[in-house]
């Protein structure tokens, strides 16, 4: 993976990245604390968001909220090029304290209305905005100013496209089994959840439930639950809560197993993460 351009501070991370020879094994399911914009430039790939598969075409734009599971599925050996922006909602506090611009991220069910095409935007096309986000001046101040100068209009474009989607929406289709599972798990994420209890809830064997979930979501049931609980706990820790409180609040019963899973997942301890709050990594 080659990072062609990037900028990072404590509220936003921007990258322009290319994999000349992408491997499917390098792109696993992941969940993170911040919202994400993923702009697909070229390649042969799909994006799985929760249970929805989105075929990607040049100039596709994906909008992903925090705690929304997603993964890229590489379909061939064509070079995979994209722009990505990871950001915490606080980035908008000064210009949009009501967070109206976050509606396309938050005011929709998980895994729905994530994908936008170039023709859905009425003003400056996203590609032009992404190209303009890189400052010729390498100074940090100039990089941040240039990024935000073009990022805020992009948020406005997405909001208008989202409103059009909502206006033209048909009656929602009946949920499939995997969608029902995902919705149920997210409603009860920090409660007692086990494969046995879920199999009883959905009237199927544990192996059948796990197989359906793996096929449709991209991970086992328990890994999905664990990823989301760990990310939620990390968010609490970075907001100043103790590791013990975060462990208990996010559904973990045993601190030592929580600690081991946390370090294995993030490569850092809860204590180390109390001192850091910085958005994501390329996806």
């Amino acid at each position: 993976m080659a990072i062609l351009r990037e900028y990072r501070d404590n509220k936003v991370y921007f990258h322009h990245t290319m994999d000349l020879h992408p491997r499917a094994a390098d792109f696993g399911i992941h969940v993170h604390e911040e919202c994400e914009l993923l702009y697909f430039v070229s390649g042969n790939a799909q994006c799985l968001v929760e249970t929805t598969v989105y075929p990607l075409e040049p100039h596709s734009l994906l909008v992903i909220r925090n705690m929304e599971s997603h993964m890229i599925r590489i379909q061939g050996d064509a070079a995979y090029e994209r722009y990505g922006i990871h950001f915490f909602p606080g980035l908008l506090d000064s210009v949009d304290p009501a967070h109206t611009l976050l509606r396309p991220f938050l005011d929709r069910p998980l895994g729905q209305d994530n994908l936008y095409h170039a023709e859905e935007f009425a003003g400056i096309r996203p590609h032009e905005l992404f190209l303009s986000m890189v400052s010729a001046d390498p100074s940090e101040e100039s990089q941040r100013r240039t990024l935000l100068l073009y990022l805020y209009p992009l948020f406005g474009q997405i909001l208008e496209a989202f409103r059009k989607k909502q206006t033209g929406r048909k009656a929602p289709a009946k949920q499939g089994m995997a969608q029902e599972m995902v919705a149920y798990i997210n409603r009860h994420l920090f409660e007692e959840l086990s494969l046995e209890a879920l199999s009883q809830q959905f009237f199927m064997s544990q192996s059948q439930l796990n197989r359906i979930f793996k096929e449709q979501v991209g991970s086992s049931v328990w890994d999905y639950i664990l990823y989301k609980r760990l990310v939620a706990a990390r968010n609490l820790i970075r907001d100043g809560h103790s590791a013990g409180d975060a462990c208990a609040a996010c559904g973990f019963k045993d601190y030592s197993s929580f600690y081991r899973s946390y370090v294995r997942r993030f490569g850092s301890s809860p204590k180390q993460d109390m001192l850091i709050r910085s958005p994501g990594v390329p996806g």
Side-chain angles (χ1 to χ4, degrees):
M1 179 177 70
I3 298 178
L4 306 177
R5 296 291 185 105
E6 69 177 336
Y7 169 81
R8 184 195 299 271
D9 63 27
N10 64 348
K11 290 184 179 177
V12 63
Y13 173 56
F14 165 90
H15 66 90
H16 178 198
T17 307
M18 178 182 289
D19 286 79
L20 288 175
H21 304 287
R23 300 185 310 156
D26 293 335
F27 298 89
I29 185 170
H30 55 288
V31 180
H32 40 67
E33 306 138 85
E34 63 273 10
C35 297
E36 179 180 358
L37 291 169
L38 178 64
Y39 185 74
F40 182 76
V41 178
S42 65
N44 187 355
Q46 300 173 337
C47 188
L48 173 64
V49 184
E50 297 290 345
T51 59
T52 303
V53 177
Y54 295 104
L56 298 179
E57 301 173 354
H59 309 301
S60 298
L61 178 65
L62 283 158
V63 170
I64 300 167
R65 67 197 279 181
N66 60 324
M67 298 295 288
E68 198 165 32
S69 71
H70 54 287
M71 68 179 294
I72 292 294
R73 287 177 168 173
I74 298 298
Q75 303 290 296
D77 58 2
Y80 170 38
E81 182 180 0
R82 68 277 193 195
Y83 288 88
I85 298 175
H86 297 242
F87 67 95
F88 291 110
L91 179 71
L92 299 173
D93 286 350
S94 61
V95 296
D96 181 30
H99 285 183
T100 303
L101 293 171
L102 290 178
R103 284 193 59 213
F105 296 87
L106 306 179
D107 290 357
R108 56 175 178 77
L110 290 171
Q112 295 186 27
D113 290 334
N114 297 90
L115 184 66
Y116 293 83
H117 299 288
E119 59 269 19
E120 295 182 66
F121 299 97
I124 302 174
R125 295 300 170 93
H127 191 215
E128 298 174 47
L129 293 170
F130 277 102
L131 286 173
S132 301
M133 287 178 188
V134 179
S135 171
D137 182 343
S139 70
E140 184 173 338
E141 180 182 353
S142 178
Q143 292 289 328
R144 178 179 173 80
R145 183 173 59 248
T146 303
L147 173 61
L148 297 181
L149 179 64
Y150 293 98
L151 180 56
Y152 291 144
L154 178 59
F155 282 137
Q157 292 271 44
I158 296 169
L159 178 61
E160 289 306 309
F162 173 75
R163 285 171 171 162
K164 290 177 184 176
K165 280 184 185 289
Q166 301 304 300
T167 301
R169 177 176 298 287
K170 300 177 181 178
K174 189 177 187 295
Q175 285 190 324
M177 183 58 69
Q179 289 174 308
E180 290 184 23
M181 293 178 197
V182 164
Y184 181 87
I185 289 170
N186 280 281
R187 285 197 304 271
H188 302 279
L189 185 60
F190 304 135
E191 300 171 20
E192 186 70 39
L193 282 174
S194 67
L195 200 55
E196 180 182 3
L198 289 169
S199 69
Q200 293 174 0
Q201 173 70 28
F202 291 99
F203 305 103
M204 65 178 69
S205 69
Q206 295 181 35
S207 60
Q208 183 184 15
L209 185 145
N210 223 357
R211 178 180 57 77
I212 292 172
F213 199 90
K214 176 78 172 179
E215 289 173 353
Q216 297 296 313
V217 182
S219 79
S220 69
V221 173
W222 179 244
D223 281 346
Y224 178 89
I225 294 169
L226 182 62
Y227 292 160
K228 291 209 168 188
R229 286 180 174 178
L230 287 171
V231 169
R234 192 186 204 192
N235 199 32
L236 288 176
I237 289 166
R238 287 180 166 179
D239 280 342
H241 295 268
S242 72
D245 287 347
C247 169
C250 294
F252 294 95
K253 303 302 181 186
D254 177 70
Y255 183 81
S256 61
S257 62
F258 161 73
Y259 183 90
R260 288 193 300 272
S261 297
Y262 191 101
V263 173
R264 186 164 55 246
R265 177 64 179 166
F266 300 122
S268 56
S269 70
K271 184 176 181 180
Q272 289 170 316
D273 280 342
M274 290 183 72
L275 307 175
I276 302 171
R277 185 168 175 83
S278 179
V281 295

